Amino acid sequence: MKLCIAIIKPHKLDAVREALTEIGISGMTITEVKGFGRQNGHTETYRGAEYAISFVPKVKIEIACSDDLAPRVVETLQDSAGSGSIGDGKIFVVPIESAVRIRTGETADAAL
């Protein structure tokens, strides 16, 4: 099992969710986060004064999936979240040691 973690632009969330649903992903966790990378934040003007915004709003998506499905999830995330411009985000894939569905006690892939 793998945990695919993607940090994307917030306005891409609906397109990403639809694309992941099409490939068979039935669940994901979404968190609103802030951060910066090479983008190093941005500036905004409010009432004539310019302010530096150090942390850019992003959305973090976490998807637990089988080992076989992980490459397809990564490809789908790249295709649906990418625009080719700086700040598109990152994808991390990490192994999951175990998973348990609390309600039924199912484990491993059956718990996903």
Side-chain angles (χ1 to χ4, degrees), residues 1 12-13 17 19 21 23 26 33 35 39 41 53 78 80 83 85 92 105 110:
M1 294 177 298
K12 292 286 193 172
L13 179 58
R17 186 190 55 78
T21 301
I23 65 164
S26 58
V33 296
Q39 209 172 353
I53 308 297
Q78 281 182 289
S80 58
S83 67
S85 62
F92 306 98

Side-chain angles (χ1 to χ4, degrees), residues 5-108:
I5 304 167
I7 310 296
I8 65 168
K9 293 180 177 180
H11 69 274
K12 292 286 193 172
L13 179 58
D14 287 335
V16 169
R17 186 190 55 78
E18 289 173 14
L20 289 169
T21 301
E22 287 177 14
I23 65 164
I25 297 299
S26 58
M28 62 188 79
T29 302
I30 310 297
T31 310
E32 292 180 5
V33 296
K34 291 183 180 187
F36 72 92
R38 290 185 180 168
Q39 209 172 353
N40 286 329
H42 64 280
T43 58
E44 288 184 4
T45 304
Y46 178 71
R47 293 189 177 184
E50 193 169 285
Y51 295 93
I53 308 297
S54 299
F55 296 100
V56 180
K58 299 286 183 179
V59 173
K60 178 172 143 181
I61 303 171
E62 295 172 296
I63 304 157
C65 62
S66 65
D67 289 336
D68 298 341
L69 192 54
R72 192 149 179 228
V73 168
V74 170
E75 181 182 333
T76 301
L77 285 165
Q78 281 182 289
D79 292 344
S80 58
S83 67
S85 62
I86 192 165
D88 277 348
K90 295 270 192 297
I91 302 169
F92 306 98
V93 180
V94 295
I96 296 176
E97 189 173 314
S98 66
V100 179
R101 185 183 308 261
I102 294 172
R103 179 177 53 88
T104 62
E106 293 171 299
T107 60

